[in-house]
Amino acid sequence: MNYFDMQLNTLFEKIISKPELHARLLNTLSLMENTGARKISASEHSTNVTLIILKHAAEEHRHAYYLKKQIAKIDETLCPTYSYEYLLAPASSRLYLNKLDTEVSRYLKTTLGLSGNELKFAAYLLVTYAIEVRADELYPIYQQALDSAKNKVNVKSIILEEEGHLEEMLKQLKEFSTDWETHAGRALEIESRLFDAWAQALSKEVIG
Ligand SMILES: [Fe+2]
Ligand SMILES: [Fe+2]
């Protein structure tokens, strides 16, 4: 584990030890999955929709639902909606994906001159790729913290599906451009900066 992973691990352990905060974390992750799912659906072409895209949108919607359902293992009356009072670092959590989308789209417009459907599809590829890389790191750290606290909540089925998504995104990226690594690298840089800001906001709220 690197330093940043250790900090995340400590943060998750703190959150898990307080049921009310833990419910809000699950609700926040659910909101972020839901935002991702809605973005995938919104970027769909009117006719050119593949099985991979449909599978991906369906699974991200399932993650949002599954995480929200896990709240009942803590207390089913907690966090009924995505209202700010039921989230952790609400402003940052809402901004993370929208900013990622805006900044990646701006990069694609200026460096590749894309617009319209092409821009939508390329942004879907890069934004989703960056999120999948993050998900493959974040959920295992969360699961590890859950295991060591012997908590009933579990995200193993999400981890499995996110691994599949990363492979699918890589396959689509390779078909999209021979120079995909440059663009993907840029998307990862943008995402890292936004994720750090999110993690900071979370730790400020939880630890102070
Ligand atoms: Fe997901
Ligand atoms: Fe995913």
Side-chain angles (χ1 to χ4, degrees):
M1 257 200 248
N2 63 38
Y3 178 66
F4 195 66
D5 288 356
M6 265 164 58
Q7 281 184 314
L8 269 182
N9 189 282
T10 312
L11 186 60
F12 283 141
E13 280 175 357
K14 278 231 155 63
I15 295 172
I16 292 167
S17 71
K18 299 200 173 82
E20 199 267 328
L21 283 183
H22 193 196
R24 277 161 67 199
L25 173 71
L26 282 165
N27 201 36
T28 304
L29 293 173
S30 171
L31 164 90
M32 292 166 97
E33 291 281 0
N34 187 240
T35 311
R38 289 168 65 189
K39 277 203 181 290
I40 294 173
S41 300
S43 72
E44 275 171 20
H45 187 267
S46 55
T47 53
N48 196 9
V49 180
T50 63
L51 186 68
I52 281 190
I53 296 175
L54 288 178
K55 173 176 177 283
H56 201 160
E59 289 177 353
E60 299 303 1
H61 276 295
R62 189 192 80 82
H63 296 169
Y65 165 72
Y66 179 85
L67 288 162
K68 190 133 187 110
K69 247 192 116 190
Q70 296 289 299
I71 295 171
K73 289 185 177 170
I74 302 169
D75 176 348
E76 62 182 356
T77 63
L78 294 170
C79 307
T81 69
Y82 291 147
S83 283
Y84 270 28
E85 74 242 59
Y86 304 132
L87 298 170
L88 287 178
S92 295
S93 302
R94 284 195 172 272
L95 268 178
Y96 165 79
L97 241 149
N98 290 331
K99 269 203 163 170
L100 182 59
D101 203 18
T102 315
E103 291 190 26
V104 166
S105 297
R106 193 186 305 137
Y107 164 79
L108 286 166
K109 258 188 241 170
T110 50
T111 56
L112 297 180
L114 298 183
S115 63
N117 281 329
E118 269 187 338
L119 173 65
K120 256 196 209 170
F121 184 65
Y124 152 72
L125 289 181
L126 290 185
V127 168
T128 313
Y129 166 75
I131 294 170
E132 295 306 341
V133 170
R134 180 62 60 191
D136 278 10
E137 188 183 303
L138 187 77
Y139 282 117
I141 295 175
Y142 179 32
Q143 183 61 54
Q144 207 174 39
L146 288 166
D147 288 343
S148 53
K150 298 197 169 34
N151 198 285
K152 272 188 254 164
V153 170
N154 98 76
V155 293
K156 286 178 192 159
S157 68
I158 297 184
I159 293 174
L160 214 67
E161 285 179 352
E162 301 295 16
E163 283 168 2
H165 294 169
L166 186 57
E167 276 169 39
E168 289 158 7
M169 291 324 291
L170 280 168
K171 183 175 171 287
Q172 292 183 96
L173 272 170
K174 284 172 190 163
E175 286 164 5
F176 164 71
S177 162
T178 48
D179 204 18
W180 70 272
E181 276 170 298
T182 312
H183 308 313
R186 187 70 197 105
L188 290 183
E189 271 171 36
I190 297 171
E191 193 280 339
S192 276
R193 186 166 37 78
L194 296 168
F195 179 80
D196 286 357
W198 177 77
Q200 293 270 336
L202 209 64
S203 102
K204 224 175 138 190
E205 192 168 312
V206 172
I207 300 164

